[in-house]
Amino acid sequence: MMKKTRTAAIAALGLGLALAASACAGGGNSGGSGSSSNGPVTLSFWTNATPGPGLTFFHNAAKTYHTLHPNVTINIQSIQNESFDGKLQTALNSNSAPDMFLQRGGGKMQAMVNAGQLQPLNLTATDQSNVSPAAISTDSIDGKVYAIPMDTLPEGIFYSKDLFSRAGIAAPPTTIPELEADVAKLKAIKVAPIAVGAKDAWPAAHWYYYFALRECSQATMNATAKSLNFSDPCWTKAGDDLSSFLKVNPFEQGFLTTSAQQGAGSSAGLVANHKAAMELMGNWDPGVISTLTPNQKPLPDLGWFPFPAVPGGQGDPSAMMGGSGGYSVSAHAPKEAFGFLEFLLTKDQQQAYGKAFISIPVNKAAQGIVTSSYEISSLQAFNKAAYTMQFLDTVYGQNVGNAMNTAVVNLLAGKGTSAGIVSATNAAAAKGA
């Protein structure tokens, strides 16, 4: 992911990870520090991939790897996204951690490193020569690699081109006033302008994150990552912006009780079934949406545009938030675990991964599969971004992030204020990330 330490919370999300196929096929020659015998090895792999093409990819990859390495068996376990962090933390604390697991990065990864729960991944010189320094730096702490990214996850607003056309919207909005005008046009055709799964908190909080990214300068973002002090006026201004945006009633009816990804009634499901026109989400969203369309195929009219500029904001209007779908190896996992992660980065596996998740592979050799308009749009915006940073609840750690997310939802529910977001976040920071 993107955070090295709190002193370097802002970094470019890399796109150039291309490990040598020969090293990957070797089954862990560069490996981690764990040990194993030469006999049969069974590995556990935890992912938040939901039933569908994504989860099928991992099962197929495990079977293929077993064919290549008959002594290695990999058990894939799918855990629902909103339950993942809690179950993983329980497993880590009870010394029953899976051998490989999805890594959120940021403060969460830092905490695992501090607790000695992760294995540093020792890349060979050949590996390092094929890996973009930016890509590896996002998953490194103090010069050591603790996770390997699988794809890039730039966040933006996914939208229905058909609904935009019906509403008379000729082009995606580039500023918040333009977005507010488009909200009115979509309401006129009886469509929910924007879907948000506020029941899960984090999707709603991402609106505040982006207003903060537009209001706060990069220097302020860096300083806050070091100090965890949210006293700069831009943090309150971001809440004011969100409050002002709420006045146009942009979200679907009942958004506070809507989930993000579960079923046709979720925010992703509303977009999938043309009940809502837009959703702010990372680039895993098309894969989720495709499982919720009536024919369970990709939404043919899906488009993407970056979060609009906020007039007068101190942040660079091209700055983006996002992540990388990376995986870590637990401290006591056998060396074969990292061998499987290397295998997942070979060209063929990365192409299959990108197709299954409808995402942008991190291996440049596999990026030829990126052909959809929304992927091309997000990749172009990503390459033009002045800088990128992780999601705030990842950068600032679980306790601070959860406090911020809860305070944002309170504001959306009419039970909180902009000042309340800042005070709640500062209070959590005082207790420790």
Side-chain angles (χ1 to χ4, degrees):
M1 297 278 173
M2 91 143 307
K3 180 160 173 275
K4 288 184 179 180
T5 64
R6 279 209 174 84
T7 62
I10 311 299
L13 290 173
L15 285 173
L17 188 55
L19 296 180
S22 59
C24 293
N29 292 333
S30 61
S33 59
S35 61
S36 66
S37 66
N38 293 323
V41 176
T42 298
L43 303 173
S44 53
F45 183 100
W46 283 17
T47 178
N48 67 343
T50 55
L55 187 58
T56 298
F57 161 79
F58 282 121
H59 282 297
N60 288 341
K63 292 176 182 177
T64 301
Y65 194 76
H66 179 69
T67 299
L68 296 172
H69 306 275
N71 66 311
V72 181
T73 299
I74 300 163
N75 293 327
I76 306 295
Q77 182 173 351
S78 172
I79 298 177
Q80 206 278 327
N81 184 67
E82 278 62 47
S83 302
F84 191 93
D85 289 358
K87 290 185 177 181
L88 176 61
Q89 195 59 56
T90 297
L92 289 168
N93 292 342
S94 62
N95 294 318
S96 58
D99 297 302
M100 298 164 282
F101 55 86
L102 177 71
Q103 177 57 253
R104 306 288 194 186
K108 295 177 181 179
M109 186 169 77
Q110 179 74 64
M112 294 176 194
V113 171
N114 292 345
Q117 295 168 331
L118 297 184
Q119 192 174 131
L121 307 177
N122 303 313
L123 278 65
T124 65
T126 300
D127 291 335
Q128 294 177 39
S129 69
N130 287 297
V131 175
S132 160
I136 289 301
S137 71
T138 63
D139 287 305
S140 300
I141 295 176
D142 296 333
K144 295 182 178 180
V145 180
Y146 287 98
I148 295 298
M150 297 297 295
D151 58 1
T152 61
L153 307 173
E155 185 172 56
I157 298 179
F158 289 91
Y159 73 100
S160 163
K161 294 180 180 179
D162 289 350
L163 293 180
F164 267 40
S165 178
R166 282 178 50 197
I169 302 171
T174 60
T175 67
I176 290 299
E178 289 178 3
L179 177 61
E180 291 175 341
D182 290 343
V183 164
K185 292 177 181 178
L186 288 161
K187 285 184 177 180
I189 63 168
K190 309 300 182 183
V191 168
I194 301 170
V196 62
K199 178 181 179 182
D200 294 325
W202 61 268
H206 282 209
W207 281 90
Y208 175 76
Y209 296 179
Y210 251 110
F211 277 117
L213 189 66
R214 294 291 180 260
E215 288 290 357
C216 301
S217 67
Q218 184 178 2
T220 297
M221 286 293 191
N222 276 318
T224 304
K226 296 178 186 178
S227 65
L228 287 183
N229 185 318
F230 297 83
S231 61
D232 190 287
C234 68
W235 293 104
T236 301
K237 185 63 168 64
D240 292 342
D241 290 342
L242 181 55
S243 293
S244 178
F245 185 59
L246 280 175
K247 293 178 181 178
V248 302
N249 296 315
F251 304 130
E252 80 275 13
Q253 186 174 1
F255 70 91
L256 291 169
T257 57
T258 300
S259 65
Q261 302 174 350
Q262 302 169 47
S266 66
S267 57
L270 293 175
V271 175
N273 293 279
H274 286 154
K275 301 297 184 182
M278 293 177 271
E279 183 181 28
L280 174 65
M281 194 61 66
N283 82 336
W284 59 82
D285 204 30
V288 177
I289 289 173
S290 69
T291 67
L292 299 173
T293 58
N295 60 4
Q296 295 188 326
K297 293 182 179 180
L299 193 66
D301 68 314
L302 192 65
W304 183 97
F305 61 91
F307 194 89
V310 174
Q314 298 301 304
D316 192 298
S318 70
M320 297 182 71
M321 283 192 180
S324 58
Y327 284 82
S328 287
V329 177
S330 59
H332 303 296
K335 64 183 181 181
E336 286 83 359
F338 185 64
F340 180 61
L341 295 187
E342 288 186 291
F343 171 71
L344 294 181
L345 290 168
T346 58
K347 179 181 177 180
D348 288 348
Q349 291 299 312
Q350 278 276 286
Q351 288 177 330
Y353 180 96
K355 292 176 181 178
F357 285 93
I358 316 180
S359 66
I360 302 171
V362 75
N363 184 329
K364 276 189 174 180
Q367 287 180 358
I369 67 166
V370 177
T371 58
S372 64
S373 65
Y374 58 81
E375 287 178 316
I376 292 172
S377 295
S378 64
L379 188 55
Q380 289 174 340
F382 181 89
N383 289 335
K384 294 177 182 177
Y387 72 96
T388 60
M389 67 178 297
Q390 270 283 13
F391 304 119
L392 299 189
D393 56 353
T394 298
V395 173
Y396 301 135
Q398 185 169 347
N399 292 337
V400 173
N402 286 347
M404 178 180 286
N405 292 354
T406 299
V408 172
V409 173
N410 286 339
L411 182 147
L412 296 177
K415 300 177 181 179
T417 63
S418 303
I421 296 175
V422 173
S423 62
T425 305
N426 277 329
K431 297 177 182 179

